[in-house]
Amino acid sequence: MNNSSIIKTKGLSYHYSKDVQTLFDIDLNVERGSVYGFLGPNGSGKTTTLSLLLGLLNNQKGDIEIFGEHLQANRINILKKIGSLVETPSVYGHLTAKENLEVYREVYGASKARIAEVLNIVGLKDTGKKTTKKFSLGMKQRLAIALALLPTPELLILDEPANGLDPAGIIELRELIKTLNKTHGMTVMISSHLLGEVEKMVSHVGIIFKGKIIFQGPLSELHSFKQKTSKVFIKTSDNETVFRLLQEYQPEKAGEAVTVPFENIKQVAAINRKLTSHNLDVYLLHPKKSDLEQLFIDLTTTH
Amino acid sequence: MNLLISLRSELLKTRRTASFYLTLIGAAVGPVVFLLNVLLDEDELDGKSKDPLNALFKMLSEMNGVALFPFFIILICTLLPQVEYRNNTWKQVFTSPQTKANVFLAKFMNVHLLMLIFLIATHLFMFLTIVAINFIKPDLDLFNYPFNESIVIVNAANAYLVMLAVCAIQFWIGLRSRNFIAPIGIGFALWLLGTIMAVQMKSSLVHYFPYSFQAYVVSPKLKLQLTQIAWTSLGYALLFLIVGFFDFRRRTVSK
């Protein structure tokens, strides 16, 4: 195993029923110190993958190494160093926030002071005797994050943690994850289908679609890929001529328009000059930069 | 040590739950029924006038042994695991660094702790009831009669031992069932069947059917085989505990 890897899976496959394969040969590589965004549309296999990493599902095929140890052989030791939140928050409604944390405090070997610390981190220190069944979904989600932070984990696995949070809560969560990563050195693996949201906090990205990893690497690699897929939409008095004139840019027809990939805005100006110099009336020149959202759609529709 | 940590975790979860309140309320039912009888019926204690204290505790042990204690076990074995289902917390339990064996045993120990609290509390409430009656009707002078505490303890211990089998079976069913009604329905139906079988006494099956064992605590005929039944109950409890654990160990949580 690469020393910089904190999670490494090889050939991970899973099926809930014999006829329906959910995961196909998943090779994950989450580097120590990174914030790894695990992206995919609903039903793509994100939660199944994370459930396998946390031992919630029995591994059927493939290998999982976390902290350089095999999960099946060292499950308890590994779980001691992981904080997790899988989908909906898991909290006891009849207990207060503090009591919920107290339930797991000694299981994780955390100090009493740590409870106050994590409640402070997630902004729930003033909830007093209010039981969590009276909490909003956002508050429950924050408490679940506090529970994940209780063991001062080396690795934080968060499955769709932004679910139920309002915009301010999402911003707070993003800042919290950045702080945990930078200040406390935690490696964070965060799954989401909110692509724009994840883009702002991750250093690495893995995209899963229909149970297969279709992209994995640093965010910068995804950005350069993104740049290549930015396109300018052109409508003129003679699109056929445009198509012929811009052959060097590898144009494509898109309905009544022609699309041409571009890397910077100066190229768009150069294209415009070329078109007008050939006496074409330019009705539309719309440079459309591809965002992660669009790229994600592109990636998941071409596979 | 790790088992104790898991038990601590289970005990903390039980705070302010229906399971905890049910234990205390269930334990009070017998004494309260008796108190109401005495208050509403002047002649209630007449039949017990020669040995009222021992007669009262015998009545309590019969009422608890046949019905209240088995009902309590059926309910508690369902309610305790429901804490995880209702709050969607199984995944938190399984992603925490606890072995499944520790989680399973800690939950089972928690059930037994509540059973013991029930038995202690019901006798304590009975004692308080007697104090109250003595205060309300001082002419009865209840505390001047003999009291055989060893019989009370033996009766309570027997009630506990013969119910070990039912406890292990209901614990297994309660742990694997997301549905709240099914384990209670199954438990009550089997209890009714077992009690009818014991009363009818037409089949030797009654010696092997755990849901009949409560009858051995009260029936003078059946009481002769109480020791044998206590061992049978213990054997069943071990068997179903092992079966329940292997079933629990296979469990996965996907959502």
Side-chain angles (χ1 to χ4, degrees):
Chain A
M1 185 176 131
N2 186 342
N3 280 336
S4 67
S5 294
I6 203 161
I7 299 176
K8 196 167 176 70
T9 71
K10 199 169 181 189
L12 200 59
S13 299
Y14 193 82
H15 56 82
Y16 286 99
S17 63
K18 279 186 180 175
D19 305 332
V20 185
Q21 185 87 7
T22 308
L23 297 180
F24 302 85
D25 291 326
I26 300 290
D27 293 344
L28 282 180
N29 187 7
V30 178
E31 289 181 20
R32 192 177 285 275
S34 64
V35 178
Y36 186 99
F38 192 42
L39 307 177
N42 290 334
S44 57
K46 298 188 298 293
T47 300
T48 303
T49 307
L50 298 186
S51 296
L52 284 165
L53 293 180
L54 291 165
L56 287 173
L57 292 173
N58 294 326
N59 191 4
Q60 294 171 341
K61 192 183 164 201
D63 193 35
I64 302 171
E65 278 184 35
I66 302 178
F67 307 117
E69 295 180 298
H70 287 278
L71 179 65
Q72 274 172 315
N74 303 287
R75 186 175 156 269
I76 300 297
N77 277 342
I78 289 170
L79 289 177
K80 277 180 186 168
K81 296 184 274 186
I82 298 180
S84 63
L85 190 173
V86 181
E87 289 198 320
T88 49
S90 290
V91 293
Y92 298 99
H94 60 285
L95 300 178
T96 65
K98 196 177 168 186
E99 287 167 346
N100 263 284
L101 297 172
E102 189 62 40
V103 166
Y104 285 101
R105 185 177 65 78
E106 286 204 8
V107 171
Y108 283 108
S111 67
K112 280 196 171 180
R114 182 68 185 155
I115 288 182
E117 271 174 41
V118 293
L119 284 175
N120 197 30
I121 288 171
V122 299
L124 290 177
K125 69 178 163 79
D126 296 324
T127 51
K129 291 183 177 175
K130 189 176 178 180
T131 55
T132 60
K133 68 182 166 208
K134 292 173 191 156
F135 280 18
S136 67
L137 183 57
M139 288 169 80
K140 284 182 186 169
Q141 197 78 338
R142 280 191 277 161
L143 179 58
I145 292 170
L147 191 52
L149 295 176
L150 191 64
T152 323
E154 286 181 41
L155 171 65
L156 200 55
I157 295 179
L158 306 173
D159 187 16
E160 309 265 3
N163 280 357
L165 297 183
D166 56 21
I170 292 173
I171 293 167
E172 279 176 27
L173 175 72
R174 190 194 307 153
E175 293 309 312
L176 174 64
I177 288 171
K178 282 180 185 171
T179 307
L180 292 171
N181 176 249
K182 285 185 182 154
T183 314
H184 302 275
M186 279 181 206
T187 305
V188 184
M189 185 178 189
I190 179 168
S191 83
S192 180
H193 60 272
L194 302 170
L195 309 174
E197 175 51 48
V198 168
E199 188 182 15
K200 290 165 187 161
M201 62 176 133
V202 301
S203 59
H204 291 72
V205 174
I207 297 177
I208 186 170
F209 182 65
K210 291 184 179 172
K212 292 176 184 168
I213 293 287
I214 55 173
F215 176 87
Q216 184 170 226
L219 188 64
S220 54
E221 202 175 297
L222 192 66
H223 275 142
S224 64
F225 190 62
K226 182 177 84 173
Q227 222 153 27
K228 285 178 196 163
T229 59
S230 295
K231 288 177 179 174
V232 56
F233 283 73
I234 304 164
K235 275 188 193 175
T236 66
S237 51
D238 186 356
N239 285 350
E240 288 301 322
T241 307
V242 173
F243 199 78
R244 190 167 38 79
L245 280 173
L246 301 180
Q247 272 305 308
E248 60 181 300
Y249 295 99
Q250 296 176 318
E252 284 176 17
K253 286 179 182 173
E256 290 181 4
V258 173
T259 62
V260 177
F262 74 99
E263 285 179 17
N264 57 61
I265 204 73
K266 286 182 180 173
Q267 275 187 338
V268 178
I271 288 168
N272 188 39
R273 277 197 298 277
K274 192 166 191 174
L275 297 178
T276 51
S277 67
H278 283 79
N279 294 324
L280 288 166
D281 297 333
V282 179
Y283 305 138
L284 176 76
L285 192 73
H286 180 205
K288 195 178 173 192
K289 278 198 169 184
S290 174
D291 56 10
L292 194 57
E293 202 88 33
Q294 185 57 46
L295 180 63
F296 175 74
I297 292 165
D298 291 346
L299 279 169
T300 54
T301 47
T302 52
H303 278 78
Chain B
M1 189 61 190
N2 288 339
L3 178 59
L4 289 180
I5 289 172
S6 296
L7 178 61
R8 177 185 179 274
S9 174
E10 293 302 324
L11 292 176
L12 288 170
K13 287 177 203 172
T14 314
R15 287 171 76 170
R16 293 199 294 276
T17 57
S19 311
F20 183 71
Y21 295 124
L22 178 74
T23 305
L24 297 180
I25 293 167
V29 170
V32 167
V33 167
F34 170 69
L35 180 65
L36 290 174
N37 275 348
V38 173
L39 292 177
L40 300 174
D41 182 3
E42 289 287 327
D43 304 327
E44 172 66 17
L45 286 170
D46 284 358
K48 306 171 181 78
S49 55
K50 286 181 184 171
D51 188 12
L53 276 185
N54 288 326
L56 289 175
F57 274 98
K58 183 170 180 279
M59 191 190 75
L60 178 74
S61 78
E62 286 174 355
M63 196 192 297
N64 275 338
V66 174
L68 293 177
F69 195 48
F71 285 0
F72 169 74
I73 290 171
I74 289 164
L75 285 170
I76 213 74
C77 286
T78 307
L79 284 172
L80 272 182
Q82 281 296 318
V83 168
E84 310 293 1
Y85 286 114
R86 202 173 51 245
N87 295 295
N88 194 22
T89 42
W90 275 121
K91 59 191 176 190
Q92 192 64 48
V93 173
F94 290 140
T95 54
S96 64
Q98 305 177 88
T99 62
K100 284 188 175 175
N102 279 352
V103 172
F104 182 83
L105 285 175
K107 285 190 179 294
F108 193 62
M109 285 163 75
N110 198 13
V111 167
H112 281 269
L113 194 66
L114 291 177
M115 283 164 64
L116 291 173
I117 290 174
F118 177 97
L119 288 173
I120 292 166
T122 196
H123 288 91
L124 192 66
F125 290 146
M126 193 62 185
F127 175 75
L128 292 175
T129 301
I130 290 166
V131 171
I133 292 167
N134 203 49
F135 184 72
I136 297 164
K137 296 185 173 180
D139 51 312
L140 290 172
D141 202 15
L142 285 172
F143 288 106
N144 265 346
Y145 289 93
F147 174 57
N148 192 339
E149 68 276 3
S150 61
I151 287 183
V152 173
I153 293 168
V154 167
N155 281 343
N158 283 335
Y160 177 77
L161 287 172
V162 298
M163 280 292 101
L164 286 176
V166 169
C167 176
I169 296 168
Q170 287 296 139
F171 180 69
W172 175 33
I173 299 172
L175 211 52
R176 78 184 328 274
S177 178
R178 180 178 284 274
N179 184 315
F180 174 73
I181 301 296
I184 292 176
I186 291 168
F188 282 170
L190 290 174
W191 170 85
L192 189 63
L193 179 68
T195 307
I196 292 169
M197 278 169 65
V199 170
Q200 294 294 321
M201 272 290 288
K202 283 181 181 167
S203 166
S204 61
L205 266 179
V206 76
H207 305 313
Y208 305 101
F209 188 56
Y211 289 82
S212 293
F213 291 175
Q214 69 278 2
Y216 286 77
V217 180
V218 289
S219 163
K221 271 187 188 174
L222 294 171
K223 235 176 188 172
L224 300 170
Q225 298 165 67
L226 193 57
T227 309
Q228 180 58 40
I229 291 302
W231 281 109
T232 310
S233 176
L234 188 64
Y236 272 128
L238 285 172
L239 174 69
F240 282 101
L241 200 61
I242 291 166
V243 171
F245 173 65
F246 280 104
D247 185 40
F248 182 72
R249 207 175 63 163
R250 282 175 45 240
R251 170 171 300 188
T252 56
V253 183
S254 57
K255 295 284 177 187

